[in-house]
């Protein structure tokens, strides 16, 4: 297997554990640069899907996870490329947090210019995070993330990874609110959880499953 990956049976076990009992209080996930670097090498890849899971390699130390797989365009909502690897090694918040981040503190007063591209303002991000923490959507199984969003995040040469904050909202008044993953670049010391660089942009445009799913994927059906 590729470095930082787990096998399909383990992935299904962890995803099953999450769906049986979603973890309360999860605000975000830290994704190391090593995970992101291993993804999207396939030229057919249009993005990645992040499945919510609960488990761990270390005995008696399970934790909330995001498991990542490449996605191609061979199905209407993208098809999971499980053969390319199922990537692990995310860290949940709590406990792996930037406690000074305005998104963590839900502080709308901080002002940052909106970075061009698929980004949102800090005020919008805080509103969506607040909505999620008040009423988490436990029906969500996964999120699709566009390749170009991850590529833009990785342009920051100081980045040690990405933090994905859970949210609930919409950028389009014609479309109802939906579950979100809001992505920010993280810098600093990986041992302490790093520091969110919100000034580099807060990226939106993830799509939740349901309804943006690969209905044939074993990671959705939990059938090998």
């Amino acid at each position: 297997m590729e470095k930082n990956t787990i096998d399909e049976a383990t992935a299904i076990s962890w995803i099953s554990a999450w769906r049986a009992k979603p973890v309360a209080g999860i605000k975000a996930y830290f994704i190391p640069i090593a995970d992101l670097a291993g993804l999207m090498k396939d030229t057919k890849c249009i993005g990645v899907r992040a499945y919510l899971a609960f488990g761990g390699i270390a005995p008696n130390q399970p934790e909330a996870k995001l498991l990542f797989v490449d996605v191609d365009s061979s199905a209407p909502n993208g098809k999971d490329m499980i053969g390319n690897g199922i990537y692990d090694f995310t860290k949940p918040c709590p406990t792996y947090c930037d406690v000074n981040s305005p998104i963590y503190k839900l502080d709308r007063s901080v002002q940052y210019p909106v970075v061009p591209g698929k980004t949102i303002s800090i005020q919008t991000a805080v509103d969506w995070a607040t909505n999620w923490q008040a009423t988490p959507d436990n029906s969500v199984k996964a999120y699709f993330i566009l390749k170009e969003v991850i590529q833009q995040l990785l342009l920051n040469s100081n980045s040690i990874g990405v933090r994905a904050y859970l949210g609930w909202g919409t950028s389009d008044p014609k479309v109802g609110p939906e579950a979100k993953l809001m992505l920010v670049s993280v810098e600093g010391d990986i041992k302490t959880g790093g520091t969110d660089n919100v000034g580099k942009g807060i990226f939106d445009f993830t799509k939740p499953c349901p309804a943006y799913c690969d209905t044939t994927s074993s990671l959705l059906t939990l059938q090998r």
Side-chain angles (χ1 to χ4, degrees), residues 45 55 64 67 136 156 190 201-202 205:
C45 179
L67 304 180
N156 178 9
I190 195 170
I202 305 167
F205 284 76

Side-chain angles (χ1 to χ4, degrees), residues 150-190:
I150 295 177
Q151 288 175 328
Q152 192 166 352
L153 277 161
L154 293 178
L155 291 176
N156 178 9
S157 60
N158 294 322
S159 178
I160 60 170
V162 169
R163 190 126 36 219
Y165 283 91
L166 293 158
W168 177 262
T170 181
S171 300
D172 185 348
K174 297 178 182 179
V175 178
E178 60 186 2
K180 298 283 190 180
L181 272 185
M182 302 172 288
L183 307 175
V184 295
S185 182
V186 178
E187 301 175 1
D189 187 353
I190 195 170

Side-chain angles (χ1 to χ4, degrees), residues 70-217:
D70 285 345
V71 175
D72 69 21
S73 60
S74 63
N77 292 324
K79 185 172 179 61
D80 292 356
M81 304 168 74
I82 293 175
N84 287 1
I86 304 169
Y87 285 77
D88 176 30
F89 286 81
T90 58
K91 294 289 186 182
C93 168
T95 54
Y96 208 82
C97 312
D98 173 7
V99 297
N100 295 312
S101 172
I103 310 178
Y104 177 88
K105 295 193 297 183
L106 303 179
D107 182 2
R108 299 180 80 259
S109 67
V110 182
Q111 298 295 319
Y112 293 97
V114 177
V115 175
K118 297 182 182 301
T119 63
I120 56 176
S121 69
I122 183 63
Q123 288 76 21
T124 297
V126 168
D127 286 347
W128 291 0
T130 301
N131 292 342
W132 176 274
Q133 291 177 34
T135 311
D137 182 358
N138 291 332
S139 69
V140 176
K141 296 174 172 63
Y143 297 86
F144 173 74
I145 308 168
L146 284 169
K147 183 176 184 178
E148 62 187 270
V149 169
I150 295 177
Q151 288 175 328
Q152 192 166 352
L153 277 161
L154 293 178
L155 291 176
N156 178 9
S157 60
N158 294 322
S159 178
I160 60 170
V162 169
R163 190 126 36 219
Y165 283 91
L166 293 158
W168 177 262
T170 181
S171 300
D172 185 348
K174 297 178 182 179
V175 178
E178 60 186 2
K180 298 283 190 180
L181 272 185
M182 302 172 288
L183 307 175
V184 295
S185 182
V186 178
E187 301 175 1
D189 187 353
I190 195 170
K191 294 179 181 178
T192 62
T195 301
D196 294 354
N197 191 335
V198 178
K200 291 287 186 180
I202 305 167
F203 289 78
D204 176 32
F205 284 76
T206 57
K207 294 290 185 180
C209 167
Y212 205 87
C213 311
D214 173 5
T215 58
T216 66
S217 174

